[in-house]
């Protein structure tokens, strides 16, 4: 048969140990091509990219030529790859041997053109930048070069045009986490310590992560918890529910970070921005809880606490209400005036150290209370005088207790008003900080996603 006769004819005196040229000064040009089939995995911790590619080589073997007329017009034959010479072209970034299928044959045409087509699972080292996670774009290179032969023996070229290689996604399986953007090709020469130059062909595989899964599982729960933290400011500060609510949110966010810690990529050289985002959100929750504790301490002042300083009243109840556009700031001012009047009356009563005049109908009793004629008024009635004195002491004590309690109420009302105004002020500052932080992150991630 023609195939058997041609195979015997080509391999009878063939020597696969030498480069297939008749003149040793002739350079063997190897044209290579690459098509990405799938992105299998991206290991951020070990900085390893695993891809599955279709790799093609093409060169001319001067000892594998024949006349088709002598072999039944046969122009192409497949030969065992172990029986002929193949160039020693390797990938510089190889870190491990992948599970690639073995293709035992190559195609040879009657002009001596050899085509070696094979699929390869490539595990290569790649400098992965995870700062923009989950909107990151990775650029990994595959460098093909002859490990031994310099450029005078083996030169490299591109099989197809660079534009065709760049946007060729005809065989790419794009249903995984990563999508292929394009493949860039670049030829260059390099030398080591002024020795002979070597030819190398670089293919830059540019891929982008699909962020939908991470947006739903990481960003949205964090955003929901931060929104609930902001809503928690609308709980009354004088009730104890706000503190427990904030503590529950902080505990829930801590559990959330423990759950998602395995999802975040980890490297020894950098931290993704989303990790910084989670830390800042945790810090904002702690600041919110601290602010709540401060307001609760203000609005729950005990009886032994001092009066609200005048400068604090002026600063918060007058200036801050105008700045914050609080509608009932007149109410704060009126309450403050009433408090000042009540405090003035109490101080006058304390300074005189006299009970309020007792109103009575009997002139003798009034004289006894006033202290003008105590001996004459009560000389004949010692029992009645002692009873009236006890009643007056008890009445005076009750009045002083009521006045003291009213003073404490006014003091608590002042601290409550200060706490409310300070709560509104700190809430707006906190809300402005959260909005500025959210807008900054949203802008950065939008730019990275659309880049």
């Amino acid at each position: 048969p023609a195939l058997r006769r041609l195979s015997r004819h080509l391999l009878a005196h063939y020597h696969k140990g030498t480069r297939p040229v008749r003149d040793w000064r002739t350079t063997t040009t190897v044209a290579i091509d690459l098509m990405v089939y799938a992105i299998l995995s991206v290991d951020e911790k070990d900085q390893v990219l695993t891809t599955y590619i279709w790799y093609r080589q093409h060169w001319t073997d001067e000892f594998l030529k024949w006349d088709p007329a002598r072999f039944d017009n046969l122009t192409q034959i497949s030969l065992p790859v172990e029986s002929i010479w193949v160039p020693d072209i390797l990938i510089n970034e190889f870190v491990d041997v992948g599970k690639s299928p073995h293709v035992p044959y190559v195609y040879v045409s009657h002009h001596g053109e050899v085509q070696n087509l094979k699929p390869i699972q490539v595990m290569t080292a790649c400098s992965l930048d995870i700062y923009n996670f989950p909107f990151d774009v990775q650029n990994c290179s595959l460098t093909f070069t002859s490990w031994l032969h310099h450029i005078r023996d083996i030169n490299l070229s591109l099989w197809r045009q660079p534009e065709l290689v760049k946007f060729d996604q005809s065989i790419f399986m794009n249903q995984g986490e990563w999508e292929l953007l394009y493949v860039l090709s670049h030829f260059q020469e390099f030398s080591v310590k002024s020795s002979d130059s070597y030819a190398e062909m670089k293919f830059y595989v540019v891929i982008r992560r699909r962020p939908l899964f991470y947006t739903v599982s990481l960003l949205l729960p964090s955003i929901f918890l931060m929104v609930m933290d902001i809503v928690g400011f609308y709980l009354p500060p004088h009730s104890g529910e706000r503190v427990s609510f904030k503590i529950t949110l902080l505990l829930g966010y801590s559990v959330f970070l423990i759950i998602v810690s395995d999802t975040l990529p980890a490297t020894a050289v950098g931290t993704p921005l989303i990790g910084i985002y989670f830390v800042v959100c945790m810090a904002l929750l702690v600041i919110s809880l601290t602010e709540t504790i401060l307001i609760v301490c203000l609005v729950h002042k005990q009886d032994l606490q001092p009066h609200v300083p005048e400068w604090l009243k002026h600063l918060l109840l007058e200036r801050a209400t105008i700045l914050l556009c609080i509608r009932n700031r007149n109410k704060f001012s009126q309450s403050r005036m009433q408090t000042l009047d009540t405090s003035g009356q109490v101080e006058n009563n304390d300074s005189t150290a006299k009970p309020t005049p007792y109103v009575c109908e009997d002139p003798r009793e009034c004289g006894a209370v006033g202290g003008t004629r105590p001996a004459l008024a009560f000389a004949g009635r010692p029992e009645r005088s002692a009873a009236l004195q006890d009643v007056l002491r008890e009445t005076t004590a009750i009045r002083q207790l009521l006045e003291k309690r009213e003073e404490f109420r006014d003091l608590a009302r002042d601290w409550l008003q200060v706490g409310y105004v300070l709560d509104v002020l700190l809430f707006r500052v906190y809300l402005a900080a959260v909005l500025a932080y959210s807008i900054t992150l949203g802008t950065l991630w939008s730019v990275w996603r659309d880049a």
Side-chain angles (χ1 to χ4, degrees):
L3 285 175
R4 185 174 299 177
R5 287 189 295 110
L6 178 58
S7 176
R8 188 184 302 112
H9 170 73
L10 294 176
L11 300 178
H13 303 285
Y14 189 87
H15 297 281
K16 65 177 183 179
T18 57
R19 191 163 57 91
V21 289
R22 299 185 182 278
D23 186 359
W24 65 272
R25 289 178 291 266
T26 302
T27 302
T28 302
T29 301
V30 180
I32 60 178
D33 189 21
L34 180 144
M35 291 184 291
V36 180
Y37 183 78
I39 306 296
L40 300 182
S41 67
V42 178
D43 190 349
E44 293 88 356
K45 183 177 182 180
D46 296 331
Q47 299 282 290
V48 174
L49 171 68
T50 304
T51 56
Y52 194 79
I53 63 174
W54 287 8
Y55 175 63
R56 301 190 297 176
Q57 294 177 339
H58 173 274
W59 70 92
T60 300
D61 193 322
E62 297 182 2
F63 299 106
L64 295 178
K65 297 181 180 180
W66 71 91
D67 184 8
R70 296 177 50 191
F71 300 95
D72 198 10
N73 294 324
L74 187 62
T75 60
Q76 194 173 34
I77 187 175
S78 60
L79 296 177
V81 67
E82 292 84 2
S83 301
I84 66 173
W85 177 90
V86 292
D88 58 335
I89 296 178
L90 303 177
I91 301 178
N92 290 342
E93 293 84 358
F94 259 131
V95 294
D96 195 4
V97 178
K99 299 178 181 179
S100 304
H102 177 64
V103 180
Y105 297 101
V106 294
Y107 262 126
V108 182
S109 68
H110 68 283
H111 297 296
E113 298 176 354
V114 183
Q115 296 183 12
N116 185 13
L117 305 103
K118 54 184 177 179
I120 306 176
Q121 179 178 332
V122 185
M123 300 183 64
T124 57
C126 179
S127 179
L128 301 173
D129 185 11
I130 62 171
Y131 182 75
N132 304 338
F133 176 87
F135 304 101
D136 51 333
V137 176
Q138 306 297 340
N139 186 356
C140 298
S141 63
L142 302 177
T143 305
F144 294 86
T145 184
S146 174
W147 192 254
L148 178 65
H149 298 85
H150 49 74
I151 195 172
R152 293 193 303 270
D153 291 338
I154 294 180
N155 194 9
L156 300 180
S157 65
L158 197 60
W159 191 326
R160 296 181 296 169
Q161 295 295 325
E163 293 78 12
L164 299 178
V165 177
K166 181 177 181 179
F167 299 104
D168 186 9
Q169 300 186 15
S170 57
I171 64 171
F172 181 70
M173 301 293 293
N174 59 351
Q175 301 300 321
E177 179 183 355
W178 297 87
E179 61 177 327
L180 177 66
L181 297 181
Y182 46 83
V183 178
L184 299 177
S185 57
H186 176 67
F187 172 80
Q188 66 179 13
E189 298 182 16
F190 78 99
S191 59
V192 180
K193 296 181 180 180
S194 301
S195 60
D196 293 331
S197 298
Y198 295 84
E200 67 178 14
M201 183 68 67
K202 280 184 173 290
F203 292 93
Y204 296 95
V205 180
V206 183
I207 56 178
R208 179 171 58 190
R209 193 192 306 265
R210 290 187 173 92
L212 180 60
F213 169 76
Y214 298 99
T215 302
V216 173
S217 61
L218 299 181
L219 293 181
L220 288 184
S222 178
I223 293 174
F224 291 156
L225 290 175
M226 295 303 298
V227 170
M228 291 305 300
D229 179 66
I230 295 175
V231 174
F233 278 94
Y234 289 95
L235 291 173
H238 60 274
S239 66
E241 296 297 329
R242 183 190 285 191
V243 177
S244 60
F245 180 76
K246 299 279 187 179
I247 293 176
T248 304
L249 279 180
L250 185 60
L251 180 61
Y253 203 86
S254 302
V255 175
F256 168 73
L257 291 184
I258 294 175
I259 294 175
V260 304
S261 60
D262 295 335
T263 307
L264 295 178
T267 60
V269 295
T271 302
L273 182 61
I274 193 172
I276 302 175
Y277 162 75
F278 288 146
V279 172
V280 173
C281 288
M282 176 70 76
L284 289 175
L285 290 176
V286 172
I287 293 173
S288 174
L289 178 60
T290 305
E291 185 268 345
T292 301
I293 295 175
L294 174 63
I295 298 301
V296 170
C297 290
L298 287 179
V299 301
H300 285 83
K301 283 288 183 180
Q302 301 298 324
D303 295 342
L304 299 179
Q305 294 296 334
H307 290 275
V308 180
E310 292 297 326
W311 63 269
L312 187 59
K313 289 184 179 180
H314 177 73
L315 183 63
L316 291 180
L317 300 184
E318 294 182 2
R319 300 287 181 161
T321 53
I322 299 175
L323 179 63
L324 299 175
C325 299
I326 297 178
R327 295 181 180 179
N328 56 348
R329 60 177 180 270
N330 295 328
K331 179 180 177 182
F332 287 148
S333 299
Q334 294 175 2
S335 300
R336 180 194 172 200
M337 295 301 296
Q338 294 174 1
T339 305
L340 291 176
D341 294 340
T342 305
S343 301
Q345 294 177 1
V346 173
E347 290 176 359
N348 293 331
N349 294 333
D350 294 339
S351 63
T352 57
K354 292 181 180 180
T356 305
Y358 179 74
V359 180
C360 57
E361 296 179 356
D362 192 348
R364 293 174 297 177
E365 295 178 2
C366 293
V369 175
T372 56
R373 293 179 298 177
L376 295 176
F378 296 97
R381 301 176 183 178
E383 297 179 357
R384 184 177 179 181
S385 175
L388 287 176
Q389 289 180 1
D390 293 338
V391 172
L392 288 175
R393 282 196 300 268
E394 293 295 334
T395 304
T396 304
I398 293 173
R399 178 178 176 82
Q400 291 178 354
L401 178 62
L402 292 177
E403 290 177 351
K404 196 66 177 176
R405 188 170 63 178
E406 186 64 25
E407 181 183 358
F408 289 154
R409 288 179 179 176
D410 293 338
L411 179 62
R413 189 180 300 112
D414 287 343
W415 282 113
L416 182 62
Q417 293 170 358
V418 170
Y420 268 102
V421 176
L422 188 60
D423 181 58
V424 174
L425 176 62
L426 294 179
F427 168 66
R428 295 189 181 181
V429 173
Y430 179 79
L431 185 60
V434 172
L435 289 178
Y437 180 63
S438 302
I439 291 174
T440 302
L441 285 181
T443 303
L444 289 176
W445 278 330
S446 298
V447 171
W448 294 331
R449 182 185 59 187
D450 298 335

